[in-house]
Amino acid sequence: MALYWIIGTCFAGGLISLFFAAIIFKNASNTLITNMVSLAVGTLLTTAFLEIIPHAMELSKDFHDTSFIILIGILALFILEKLLIWRHCHGVNCESHSLEKEMNQNKRGSIIIGGDLFHSFVDGVLIASAFLVNINLGLVTAFSIIAHCLPQEMSNFSVLLDSGFTKFKAYMFNIASSVATLIGALLSFYILSMMNHLIPSILALAASSMIYVSVSDLIPDLHKKTETKESIRQILLIAVGVLIIYIIHSYLH
């Protein structure tokens, strides 16, 4: 049953991502992307602290080891980002995507593709590991990851078009990203099914990635907009994201 849920959520996430990528052709504003980023901050942080970390600690029965893995995960992501292995942004004015960088447009697009495919693969691993604990945790985790990926995919889609990619190639990249998520989920499902003792560690790493992405990437992007009206909207949408996960958590438990 878990396998069907994993495939279904990955497939649904891909369709939703493709739909929102198409919105780019209708001149989606930066406000829409910012609003989605704000919502993602709330859902990611709440999922990490309210769902994933408690489940990881329950399964491992060693709070210190679990906390240490979360710490190691955050530091590892920082190092990877420093080395430009995993760099994903959520705004069209992202520094890593800036035209002022010393790279030509094709190279810039290639870096985005490589980084996002790796990111999508890891997302699949996180989704599968959550579903292997129980369906409820899997659904909440998948929802949070989709909420986080949508603004990223929309932003990347815009950058690819700006880098000289045709609409068809940009769409193909979007589909490839969804396939990478499914591959990561399927590999993780079959490996973790035979090695259940790894699930608490994978969940801890999932929590660390959600916390790191929220604090290091998403929130700094939101701070770039300082207008009072915009700040209030961001806070409200973050609160909505928190409330959504809290309600789901309360209902499912």
Side-chain angles (χ1 to χ4, degrees):
M1 180 62 72
L3 179 60
Y4 296 125
W5 278 105
I6 291 171
I7 295 175
T9 52
C10 289
F11 184 71
L15 288 179
I16 294 173
S17 176
L18 194 62
F19 170 77
F20 275 91
I23 293 180
I24 292 296
F25 296 140
K26 298 183 181 298
N27 299 318
S29 65
N30 288 339
T31 299
L32 173 60
I33 296 178
T34 300
N35 290 343
M36 295 177 68
V37 169
S38 300
L39 186 68
V41 169
T43 58
L44 285 175
L45 289 177
T46 309
T47 298
F49 286 104
L50 198 61
E51 291 285 343
I52 294 182
I53 292 177
H55 279 91
M57 289 184 171
E58 288 174 2
L59 293 173
S60 69
K61 302 186 185 303
D62 191 324
F63 297 170
H64 292 91
D65 283 352
T66 301
S67 298
F68 184 67
I69 292 175
I70 294 172
L71 173 62
I72 292 300
I74 292 174
L75 295 177
L77 288 172
F78 170 75
I79 295 172
L80 287 175
E81 194 168 45
K82 274 292 184 180
L83 296 175
L84 299 180
I85 296 176
W86 185 357
R87 177 62 187 172
H88 50 281
C89 296
H90 304 266
V92 292
N93 296 318
C94 170
E95 181 180 354
S96 295
H97 298 163
S98 174
L99 291 175
E100 298 176 0
K101 286 294 180 179
E102 296 179 358
M103 59 178 67
N104 59 44
Q105 290 183 323
N106 288 332
K107 183 178 179 181
R108 181 163 59 104
S110 299
I111 290 176
I112 294 171
I113 290 176
D116 198 60
L117 288 177
F118 176 74
H119 180 193
S120 298
F121 180 87
V122 173
D123 283 344
V125 174
L126 304 184
I127 290 173
S129 61
F131 272 111
L132 284 173
V133 176
N134 59 60
I135 301 301
N136 296 342
L137 179 63
L139 289 173
V140 174
T141 302
F143 177 83
S144 296
I145 288 177
I146 291 173
H148 152 59
C149 287
L150 287 181
Q152 174 196 341
E153 294 300 332
M154 292 177 69
S155 176
N156 286 348
F157 202 80
S158 296
V159 175
L160 288 176
L161 293 178
D162 186 58
S163 298
F165 282 69
T166 64
K167 294 179 182 179
F168 177 77
K169 287 184 178 180
Y171 270 124
M172 289 300 99
F173 159 70
N174 192 275
I175 294 174
S177 179
S178 299
V179 172
T181 301
L182 181 59
I183 292 175
L186 292 177
L187 288 177
S188 179
F189 173 80
Y190 288 109
I191 293 175
L192 293 178
S193 294
M194 297 180 291
M195 307 176 69
N196 290 330
H197 64 282
L198 293 178
I199 293 179
S201 298
I202 298 298
L203 290 179
L205 292 175
S208 66
S209 70
M210 289 181 172
I211 295 170
Y212 182 82
V213 165
S214 299
V215 175
S216 73
D217 275 359
L218 302 184
I219 291 178
D221 280 344
L222 296 180
H223 281 321
K224 293 177 182 178
K225 296 181 179 295
T226 58
E227 299 86 352
T228 301
K229 183 178 179 180
E230 181 64 31
S231 298
I232 293 175
R233 182 187 295 115
Q234 291 174 4
I235 294 172
L236 290 177
L237 286 170
I238 291 174
V240 169
V242 172
L243 187 61
I244 288 173
I245 300 301
Y246 180 81
I247 291 174
I248 295 175
H249 168 81
S250 301
Y251 176 75
L252 293 179
H253 289 73

